[in-house]
Amino acid sequence: MNYTLHQLQIFLKIAEKESITKASEELHLTQPAVSIQLKNFQDQFPIPLTEVIGRKLYITDFGKEIAIAAQKIVDEVNQITYKTNAYQGQLSGVLKISVVSTGKYIIPYFLSDFMKQHEGVDLILDVTNKERVVHSLEDNTVDFSLVSVLPKHLQVEKTKLMENQLFLVGNTSESFPKKKYKTAMLTELPLIYREKGSGTRHTMEKYIEQNDIPVRKKMELTSNEAVKQAVIAGLGYSIMPLIGIRNDLEAGRLQIIPVQGFPIKSIWNLIWLKNKKFSPVAQAFLKYVKENKDHIIKNKFNILND
């Protein structure tokens, strides 16, 4: 066998995405280039690594075993790089963070300068819903998680990043001239929800339950961006974090509807398992966040305080 590290990395990405198209996008390669490397890799094995049913690519059981072995090889190669950098006095290693979907508007600003200062650090950032974020933390597969709703069943430590404000929003086709509406108006509006497991949905349902509001659930969508586009299109209204809609408010695509009790406020927290043993990279990142968060918030998020 004469497979290359490059082929292992490409196969791992295909196995992760179960798609040559998605793998090529993430690897910044053309689809033909990825397909050729997969074929060259496959030619070295007598058993299929993948199979196509309909138009869907699946990883075979044998392929999954090879992917596990390939990941171990890639990890060991990365360790060589990290150890070399460490001997040269550079901070080196992997920083793993899981982030709830609306946190994608926040976490890059807390990572940008840190990553520029430490070129030997690799970042694995998983953006998903709250349920999966908590699972990754519980399984100890990440260093940190960014959430606005703290998990109750885990012992975690945290550092506060910034305030999270949620508003009732709609598109701009209708006028809401009153300075403040009663919460009862929510019973008249078709509401668009995030999927179960979302932190935004949890906050939204908690507010509705506390105020005993009978609401009309119009639809359920699996991302904040999908909810936002549905609201812009006039399919309904939703309760959304300000951090994810500020550009649409400025552009006049969305409007905040003034309702008693809004904004709903929570806190974005960077959390980690209690008694977790940090790698040097994780320790350095936490120190960086604590020392620089006030400066980052002031310079990058001052519009939220206007």
Side-chain angles (χ1 to χ4, degrees):
M1 289 190 179
N2 193 30
Y3 47 76
T4 66
L5 178 63
H6 186 52
Q7 288 172 348
L8 292 176
Q9 292 168 329
I10 287 177
F11 179 64
L12 279 172
K13 186 57 68 174
I14 292 171
E16 177 190 345
K17 298 298 180 182
E18 293 190 330
S19 166
I20 290 176
T21 300
K22 292 179 180 178
S24 64
E25 289 173 354
E26 289 218 3
L27 293 168
H28 304 292
L29 297 171
T30 64
Q31 290 185 42
V34 171
S35 296
I36 289 170
Q37 290 300 325
L38 175 61
K39 181 181 183 303
N40 291 341
F41 189 57
Q42 173 65 78
D43 287 345
Q44 299 178 72
F45 299 94
I47 304 170
L49 300 168
T50 64
E51 59 182 346
V52 177
I53 301 176
R55 294 186 176 182
K56 173 70 174 172
L57 182 143
Y58 295 90
I59 309 301
T60 64
D61 289 342
F62 177 68
K64 291 175 182 177
E65 292 292 329
I66 295 301
I68 292 171
Q71 186 64 65
K72 291 179 181 178
I73 293 170
V74 171
D75 287 346
E76 287 299 321
V77 171
N78 288 337
Q79 283 301 317
I80 293 173
T81 302
Y82 301 146
K83 289 181 186 298
T84 301
N85 290 336
Y87 268 92
Q88 294 176 321
Q90 297 180 33
L91 184 65
S92 185
V94 182
L95 178 63
K96 299 179 182 180
I97 305 177
S98 58
V99 180
V100 294
S101 57
T102 48
K104 67 186 176 186
Y105 301 108
I106 295 172
I107 196 65
Y109 296 100
F110 290 89
L111 284 164
S112 179
D113 285 345
F114 178 80
M115 297 300 294
K116 289 176 183 176
Q117 291 170 16
H118 304 289
E119 295 182 359
V121 173
D122 292 331
L123 173 66
I124 297 177
L125 182 64
D126 183 29
V127 181
T128 182
N129 66 25
K130 172 179 169 282
E131 192 172 287
R132 287 183 57 186
V133 165
V134 172
H135 282 161
S136 68
L137 192 70
E138 188 172 15
D139 294 340
N140 199 27
T141 57
V142 295
D143 299 306
F144 303 101
S145 294
L146 179 65
V147 296
S148 59
V149 179
L150 294 173
K152 294 181 179 179
H153 67 290
L154 292 180
Q155 286 190 312
V156 298
E157 296 185 51
K158 64 180 186 208
T159 184
K160 173 184 172 181
L161 292 190
M162 55 187 289
E163 189 177 74
N164 183 31
Q165 300 179 24
L166 295 94
F167 291 86
L168 177 66
V169 298
N171 69 7
T172 53
S173 62
E174 292 190 40
S175 175
F176 295 89
K178 293 183 181 180
K179 288 186 176 181
K180 192 72 73 175
Y181 289 84
K182 294 182 178 180
T183 54
M185 83 166 302
L186 286 167
T187 64
E188 305 167 9
L189 302 176
L191 292 181
I192 301 173
Y193 279 62
R194 280 288 306 277
E195 81 284 5
K196 290 182 179 179
S198 157
T200 298
R201 175 166 176 154
H202 173 85
T203 302
M204 183 174 176
E205 289 183 327
K206 184 178 179 182
Y207 174 84
I208 289 170
E209 181 182 342
Q210 287 176 342
N211 289 275
D212 196 23
I213 306 169
V215 298
R216 280 198 294 147
K217 182 177 166 185
K218 180 71 174 178
M219 64 180 71
E220 181 177 301
L221 298 172
T222 57
S223 75
N224 233 54
E225 187 62 29
V227 171
K228 183 170 69 174
Q229 294 304 323
V231 173
I232 290 172
L235 292 174
Y237 300 79
S238 192
I239 296 172
M240 302 190 70
L242 178 60
I243 189 70
I245 60 172
R246 50 181 179 167
N247 291 336
D248 300 280
L249 292 170
E250 290 176 352
R253 291 185 290 267
L254 290 175
Q255 64 173 319
I256 290 174
I257 302 167
V259 177
Q260 291 176 357
F262 283 83
I264 305 170
K265 295 182 179 181
S266 60
I267 299 296
W268 288 110
N269 288 291
L270 191 69
I271 65 174
W272 58 94
L273 287 176
K274 190 173 182 179
N275 299 321
K276 181 174 176 61
K277 295 180 179 179
F278 284 133
S279 67
V281 170
Q283 196 168 27
F285 178 66
L286 182 59
K287 182 174 183 288
Y288 168 84
V289 168
K290 288 181 176 180
E291 291 177 351
N292 293 277
K293 62 181 181 179
D294 291 340
H295 174 76
I296 293 169
I297 292 168
K298 180 180 178 181
N299 284 273
K300 302 298 183 180
F301 300 102
N302 58 342
I303 188 173
L304 300 181
N305 300 316
D306 290 347

